[in-house]
Amino acid sequence: KEWSKAISDGDAAILLFPNDPAAYYHRGSSHLGKGNWAPALADFDKTIMIDSKHAPAYSLRATIRACCPVDRYRDSRFA
């Protein structure tokens, strides 16, 4: 997949619509697909900060916390 292009598109969307949770969520999903754990978590956190009822962002953030292959991002207390 073209994760880098999707991330760039997300960057552009966030510049145009900085309060749109979908822009952060989709960019976070692209970071997740590319294995960029820290920016994915940051984007899911921002999505949730903007829209506290955004269930898909909670779900993917919990997936990283529960299953990430990198120990420093995996923490079941927050999954």
Side-chain angles (χ1 to χ4, degrees):
K1 297 198 177 193
E2 297 185 23
W3 298 120
S4 295
K5 170 90 168 84
I7 291 166
S8 294
D9 290 348
D11 292 341
I14 288 166
L15 284 174
L16 292 172
F17 306 103
N19 294 313
D20 182 1
Y24 290 95
Y25 173 75
H26 290 294
R27 186 177 70 177
S29 297
S30 298
H31 278 300
L32 178 60
K34 196 169 179 181
N36 297 336
W37 313 114
L41 285 169
D43 280 344
F44 297 141
D45 286 343
K46 182 68 174 184
T47 301
I48 292 164
M49 185 177 10
I50 295 169
D51 178 3
S52 64
K53 296 181 181 182
H54 198 287
Y58 281 104
S59 178
L60 289 181
R61 184 175 72 174
T63 298
I64 294 170
R65 292 295 188 196
C67 305
C68 185
V70 180
D71 289 342
R72 70 177 169 212
Y73 300 115
R74 189 176 58 247
D75 189 339
S76 61
R77 294 173 300 159
F78 300 106

